[in-house]
Amino acid sequence: MWQVYFKELTELMRDRKTLIFVILLPIFIFPVIFGVMGLVLSSTTSKAMQEEHRYVIVNAEQAPEFRDAMFYHKNFKQVQTEKTAEADLVAAIRNDEFDVAIIIPADFSVKRQAVEQVQWQIIYNQSSQFDFMYRYFTDMLATYNEQLQRETLNQLNVDPQKLAAIIKPVDVKKVDTADKRENIGEKFGAVIAYILVPLCLLGASYPAIDMGAGEKERGTLETLLICPISRISIVLGKFLTVLTTGLLGAMITVGSFGIWGAIIGSFAGMAVVQEAMSAIAITELILIFSLLLPISAVFAALLLAISIYARTFKEAQNYISPLSVLIFVPLVAAMMPGVELNAKTALVPVMNVALAIKELIKGTADYMMLALIFGSTLLLAAAAIGFCVHWFQQEKVLFR
């Protein structure tokens, strides 16, 4: 078995494609991709925050203070229009004549004097993912509302010292029991698992295809089978090679993200993130690796079984593609709000590992749950390895 393992590993290290998939991609290409995505998102958000929105106010004379606040706001630019009806304003916004229209009722000042509630209308396109305009509007409206409240209470001869208590009887101060690490882990723990688990699959995919379907195409599988080595030793040697490359790809990616993250964080001043990540102990990193080990073994066994069954390299790729898509379903489920690690989710393959990694990064892991996840995934890996060994001993599979 070990002879086959070292033979396959040596051949893979000589293959440029393996070096690209297992080493080059994790070290350079993935961080560059995510870095570019982050820069684009940051640039888009910054641009959206600084965007100048063209607006019109119908019956602006009814609220001169609010009219002036919008006029002097850096993110708003007033335009003139003769349109006042809602349908006409909607059509004008769709025709890109302006971005937002605010309709103040014509009797606003009268109802204000009578201390009656009045409904304003704001018309704009809400499909934008960066809806900063409405945030600016609501902030100004909240300030204007408070100003009107104070004026009304003054007219009613209310003690000025009691205005704050009347306007806002209850003021809430939030005290968060979660530390910085727990907050960051809750937000990004599942994302890290979303990256690590597929990388274990990706790192094992090419070697698995090459050692099964690839050997069939090259005609070297028959030569290996006539060697004085049992088929169980051959398949286990191949399995260990696939498992090694999968885990190696994940480990290199983790190290690469850590190094690049530290470099970028030092320039960007991400002291909070650095402080939280530095709180992760070496024990927890070992536990994360321990959880990746059995799930990577499952992937390696399944990928090798598929590759052994396929006739050609291309056919193996076609079979593996659905598996690659399938593992994202439990990973996405683990990222959904309200999904927590418990006795039921601890038995769901892939999802349980993702949830456990999130808990470890948060620093709130239950070690009994981790043991349950490790044990159940280990059993699944043993079953997958057993199936792969059985599959490799079938003549109708090897010589399709």
Side-chain angles (χ1 to χ4, degrees):
M1 179 182 73
W2 293 110
Q3 291 177 337
V4 175
Y5 171 71
F6 289 115
K7 165 192 168 295
E8 298 288 358
L9 198 61
T10 303
E11 290 180 356
L12 284 174
M13 291 299 102
R14 293 172 180 169
D15 189 356
R16 291 183 179 179
K17 291 182 180 180
T18 302
L19 297 177
I20 291 173
F21 276 96
V22 178
I23 299 176
L24 186 61
L25 281 175
I27 291 178
F28 295 108
I29 297 180
F30 283 133
V32 168
I33 290 174
F34 284 104
V36 170
M37 289 173 60
L39 289 174
V40 170
L41 180 61
S42 175
S43 175
T44 305
T45 304
S46 178
K47 183 179 178 181
M49 292 179 67
Q50 297 174 6
E51 186 178 356
E52 193 176 58
H53 306 282
R54 299 163 298 166
Y55 74 95
V56 297
I57 300 183
V58 179
N59 300 320
E61 70 281 356
Q62 295 290 319
E65 299 90 349
F66 184 80
R67 175 197 62 196
D68 294 342
M70 286 205 70
F71 181 80
Y72 290 109
H73 197 285
K74 65 177 182 178
N75 293 102
F76 289 100
K77 179 181 179 181
Q78 187 175 16
V79 297
Q80 301 299 325
T81 183
E82 299 296 328
K83 300 172 182 177
T84 57
E86 178 182 340
D88 295 336
L89 294 170
V90 170
I93 291 174
R94 289 177 176 173
N95 293 330
D96 199 33
E97 295 179 24
F98 43 85
D99 302 311
V100 58
I102 300 161
I103 302 177
I104 302 175
D107 58 350
F108 173 67
S109 59
V110 176
K111 289 189 175 182
R112 177 185 162 192
Q113 294 297 326
V115 195
E116 295 182 19
Q117 188 181 52
V118 184
Q119 185 179 64
W120 291 13
Q121 283 182 286
I122 177 170
I123 304 170
Y124 72 105
N125 189 332
Q126 301 181 43
S127 63
S128 174
Q129 294 183 351
F130 300 100
D131 194 1
F132 293 106
M133 187 279 300
Y134 188 71
R135 183 189 303 176
Y136 301 144
F137 170 78
T138 52
D139 289 343
M140 285 189 296
L141 187 60
T143 303
Y144 182 59
N145 265 324
E146 184 177 344
Q147 179 183 346
L148 295 181
Q149 289 169 348
R150 291 182 179 277
E151 290 177 1
T152 303
L153 291 171
N154 279 328
Q155 291 174 6
L156 298 175
N157 297 319
V158 176
D159 186 354
Q161 296 182 352
K162 297 181 179 180
L163 287 178
I166 293 173
I167 293 172
K168 193 174 184 181
V170 178
D171 187 24
V172 178
K173 179 183 178 182
K174 294 192 295 184
V175 179
D176 193 358
T177 59
D179 56 19
K180 294 176 183 178
R181 173 183 171 182
E182 190 172 346
N183 281 323
I184 294 173
E186 180 63 31
K187 294 178 177 66
F188 299 107
V191 176
I192 293 174
Y194 190 84
I195 296 171
L196 285 179
V197 174
L199 281 173
C200 291
L201 180 68
L202 179 64
S205 295
Y206 176 77
I209 296 173
D210 184 69
M211 285 186 286
E215 289 217 31
K216 282 187 177 182
E217 281 191 322
R218 293 191 298 269
T220 57
L221 183 61
E222 291 83 354
T223 305
L224 185 61
L225 291 173
I226 63 175
C227 293
I229 305 173
S230 67
R231 290 192 179 183
I232 295 178
S233 297
I234 293 174
V235 70
L236 288 179
K238 290 178 176 291
F239 162 77
L240 288 175
T241 307
V242 176
L243 178 61
T244 300
T245 56
L247 289 174
L248 184 62
M251 290 175 63
I252 292 175
T253 303
V254 173
S256 176
F257 271 113
I259 294 171
W260 284 105
I263 294 172
I264 295 172
S266 62
F267 286 109
M270 299 291 288
V272 176
V273 178
Q274 292 177 351
E275 180 184 345
M277 296 307 290
S278 63
I280 301 177
I282 186 66
T283 306
E284 288 155 344
L285 293 175
I286 294 173
L287 287 173
I288 291 175
F289 178 78
S290 300
L291 291 170
L292 289 174
L293 182 61
I295 197 65
S296 297
V298 174
F299 293 155
L302 291 177
L303 290 170
L304 189 57
I306 292 172
S307 179
I308 291 168
Y309 178 77
R311 294 187 182 93
T312 63
F313 200 97
K314 185 176 181 180
E315 184 181 348
Q317 288 179 319
N318 292 335
Y319 290 151
I320 288 174
S321 296
L323 178 63
S324 303
V325 175
L326 189 62
I327 68 163
F328 282 100
V329 176
L331 288 174
V332 171
M335 297 176 67
M336 295 178 66
V339 179
E340 301 291 340
L341 183 61
N342 53 45
K344 292 182 179 179
T345 56
L347 298 176
V348 180
V350 182
M351 180 195 286
N352 53 8
V353 174
L355 291 173
I357 291 175
K358 181 171 76 170
E359 293 296 323
L360 283 168
I361 294 174
K362 287 170 59 178
T364 58
D366 183 345
Y367 290 99
M368 291 299 294
M369 285 294 176
L370 295 183
L372 177 61
I373 293 170
F374 184 82
S376 62
T377 312
L378 198 62
L379 289 175
L380 183 62
I385 296 168
F387 171 75
C388 186
V389 171
H390 171 75
W391 205 234
F392 195 79
Q393 292 178 325
Q394 304 299 310
E395 298 287 340
K396 60 181 180 180
V397 174
L398 292 177
F399 302 106
R400 287 179 67 234

